[in-house]
Amino acid sequence: MATRTDTSRLVDLWHGIDQAGGIDNYVRKQLEERGYLVERKPTDGMSKAELARYKKSLKAEAAERLRLNKESWLAYRETHIVHLGEGIFWNDDLDFDRWDLRNPEERARENELPELDNPKALAEALGLSIAALRWLAFHRDDATFIHYRRFTIPKRDGSARAIWAPTPQLKAVQRWILREIVERLPVHGASHGFMPGRSTKSNASVHSGAEIVVKVDLKDFFPTVTLPRVKGIFRRAGYREQTATLLALLCTEAPREVMEIKGKTHFVALGPRSLPQGAPTSPGLTNTLCLRLDRRLSGLAAKLGWRYTRYADDLTFSLQPRKDRKKQPPKVGALLGGIAKIAADEGFVVHPNKTRIARSGGRQQITGLVVNGDAPPRVPRALRRQVRAALHNLRNGKPLREGETLSRLAGFIAYIQMTDPELGKKLRAELAAVAGLA
């Protein structure tokens, strides 16, 4: 990547090329000014000495033309995207695409989005050079370096969930996109995940005291949201082809296998680019992408007498007690059939093994919180007991159980405090005392 001095020089050079009317005109003008441009003449009547001088002049012109063209190409590359990798359509000259909105700038203003009319404007908004923007957005099926770090966390079923965390530079870019663009896009009221003022508690509160709770999981939620779908979000937001392409590439990555080939680490793409689980932009983009899904599922639920919320890929439907609703059958089968059809229409798949139906006689748990009865959502009794037992052990000088740490206990207590502030405050004080932090 060019140094800042080189970048500034090449940007200035391209400005001169642009003013000259393009590379060919610029090169010809420079050849004329520097005395390299040779007037073409017939060679039949030239003496050997004249022919030698003529050929020498042509050779010098060709060498200077080659140098000027090479420098002009470097200036072009420093100020244009040029290419974004395998399978990615790009055209530096494109200023209108048939898939663009008719008046995209007007839509962007309606959404109060920053004006990003071209790659240069996007690069400047992100505090990047064009070369750095291209480097962050570039795609390779077989890469020896990517802008993500892979680690795993355990799932509830004991299997490992792969998390791809962006590098600091890409993460800063994604946070800007999240703050300045994604969080300004419309989201349905039924969405509760990763939104200011909403939480697992607000999601569960909608379903407190229900007669029946139906929980449905969308399979491969983030991987299902591929590059074209993300690009479509930015197009509908009010950005044209070039800007939408770059934004989508900055927010996606291909699922990859880490392989060692001849002593070198390779990251080999296993499928199309999609939303990584670990990027700060991924949850917000799914929320705005699911606007129509949420609207249709809310309509289905209301038609059948149910309530609906979504927390990321967890869909929850509840039927209130008979005394609180019109006298009609639950119609669980019609509900499940409608959910599957709407999900498929919107490009998602219902996970066949993760649909749960819980009636009021059993425990109804939504996004980790129990909602049975008239009491507000609360953490399961087993978790409260686990925390109290750990604090008791610490008070009596006993070690924590395997896998338990002070920070993990603090996290559990914060979770309890979200639903029961008084109990959470008491447990937090106890933890501070036994840990010597009071």
Side-chain angles (χ1 to χ4, degrees):
M1 197 175 292
T3 65
R4 182 172 296 184
T5 302
D6 288 339
T7 296
S8 179
R9 180 182 65 81
L10 291 172
V11 169
D12 290 342
L13 174 58
W14 181 257
H15 181 67
I17 293 171
D18 202 29
Q19 286 187 323
I23 292 177
D24 289 343
N25 289 340
Y26 169 79
V27 169
R28 182 176 181 83
K29 184 178 179 182
Q30 290 297 309
L31 290 173
E32 287 177 349
E33 291 180 354
R34 300 179 188 190
Y36 283 95
L37 192 62
V38 178
E39 181 184 353
R40 269 47 177 179
K41 301 176 181 178
T43 58
D44 293 346
M46 290 184 182
S47 65
K48 286 187 178 181
E50 288 174 333
L51 184 59
R53 286 195 297 272
Y54 182 64
K55 288 182 177 180
K56 184 178 180 181
S57 297
L58 290 175
K59 189 174 181 179
E61 179 195 313
E64 183 65 7
R65 185 186 295 276
L66 181 64
R67 188 190 70 80
L68 288 169
N69 274 312
K70 184 178 179 180
E71 192 173 51
S72 298
W73 165 247
L74 291 176
Y76 182 89
R77 184 174 172 80
E78 191 63 40
T79 53
H80 295 76
I81 294 296
V82 185
H83 180 52
L84 285 169
E86 303 161 49
I88 307 298
F89 170 76
W90 184 264
N91 183 345
D92 277 321
D93 297 327
L94 189 67
D95 59 0
F96 180 77
D97 183 84
R98 67 192 182 101
W99 299 111
D100 288 337
L101 297 177
R102 190 171 296 277
N103 294 299
E105 292 78 13
E106 184 177 336
R107 174 71 63 83
R109 283 192 294 270
E110 289 174 0
N111 288 323
E112 298 183 347
L113 303 183
E115 292 185 14
L116 305 172
D117 296 334
N118 50 54
K120 180 182 177 183
L122 176 59
E124 290 176 349
L126 295 172
L128 300 172
S129 66
I130 288 290
L133 176 60
R134 179 175 57 242
W135 180 62
L136 288 173
F138 204 88
H139 173 78
R140 288 184 176 87
D141 286 337
D142 181 0
T144 54
F145 172 83
I146 60 173
H147 300 283
Y148 289 84
R149 179 178 61 88
R150 183 184 185 276
F151 62 94
T152 60
I153 59 173
K155 293 183 181 180
R156 282 179 292 183
D157 61 6
S159 61
R161 184 190 304 277
I163 304 294
W164 292 87
T167 57
Q169 186 178 18
L170 179 58
K171 191 172 187 178
V173 166
Q174 290 175 343
R175 282 179 170 165
W176 185 93
I177 295 172
L178 176 65
R179 182 179 65 252
E180 300 297 331
I181 300 175
V182 177
E183 289 184 343
R184 302 183 183 191
L185 299 179
V187 174
H188 196 274
S191 176
H192 288 260
F194 313 99
M195 295 181 62
R198 299 187 185 184
S199 63
T200 55
K201 181 183 177 182
S202 68
N203 181 63
S205 295
V206 175
H207 308 284
S208 289
E211 179 182 327
I212 305 174
V213 170
V214 173
K215 297 192 295 182
V216 175
D217 183 86
L218 296 179
K219 187 178 180 182
D220 299 328
F221 189 52
F222 285 157
T224 303
V225 185
T226 54
L227 176 68
R229 300 183 75 178
V230 178
K231 185 175 173 180
I233 293 172
F234 291 116
R235 278 182 177 276
R236 289 191 299 275
Y239 291 120
R240 294 186 183 273
E241 162 71 23
Q242 291 181 331
T243 301
T245 297
L246 288 166
L247 289 170
L249 286 167
L250 292 169
C251 295
T252 58
E253 180 54 89
R256 293 183 182 270
E257 181 74 29
V258 184
M259 304 176 66
E260 292 294 325
I261 303 175
K262 295 182 178 179
K264 196 168 187 178
T265 301
H266 288 249
F267 302 89
V268 181
L270 300 177
R273 290 179 75 100
S274 58
L275 293 181
Q277 190 152 352
T281 41
S282 294
L285 284 167
T286 57
N287 280 341
T288 191
L289 177 68
C290 287
L291 177 61
R292 194 168 67 176
L293 172 76
D294 290 335
R295 186 181 295 138
R296 293 183 66 186
L297 289 177
S298 291
L300 172 69
K303 180 180 177 181
L304 298 176
W306 293 68
R307 296 178 181 179
Y308 163 71
T309 62
R310 181 181 58 82
Y311 193 97
D313 56 350
D314 292 328
L315 315 179
T316 305
F317 300 81
S318 67
L319 190 66
Q320 296 307 298
R322 289 182 182 275
K323 62 183 178 62
D324 298 330
R325 60 182 171 86
K326 296 178 181 179
K327 292 182 179 180
Q328 57 178 327
K331 299 182 181 179
V332 175
L335 177 70
L336 293 175
I339 294 169
K341 182 181 185 307
I342 290 172
D345 288 347
E346 298 300 325
F348 296 102
V349 176
V350 171
H351 200 300
N353 301 322
K354 290 191 176 181
T355 296
R356 298 288 182 268
I357 300 173
R359 300 182 184 274
S360 55
R363 184 162 73 169
Q364 298 171 329
Q365 190 168 321
I366 299 170
T367 47
L369 300 175
V370 177
V371 297
N372 293 77
D374 297 328
R378 57 230 177 255
V379 298
R381 187 177 302 168
L383 178 58
R384 298 198 299 271
R385 287 175 175 170
Q386 178 184 335
V387 170
R388 286 193 176 106
L391 292 173
H392 175 79
N393 288 339
L394 288 171
R395 276 195 303 271
N396 290 279
K398 296 180 181 179
L400 293 171
R401 295 188 311 178
E402 184 178 354
E404 282 187 336
T405 63
L406 291 177
S407 60
R408 186 173 174 83
L409 275 179
F412 285 150
I413 291 171
Y415 187 48
I416 293 170
Q417 190 168 9
M418 177 184 69
T419 60
D420 190 338
E422 187 175 338
L423 176 60
K425 185 178 179 181
K426 179 183 176 182
L427 294 173
R428 186 183 293 277
E430 289 182 27
L431 177 64
V434 298
L437 301 176

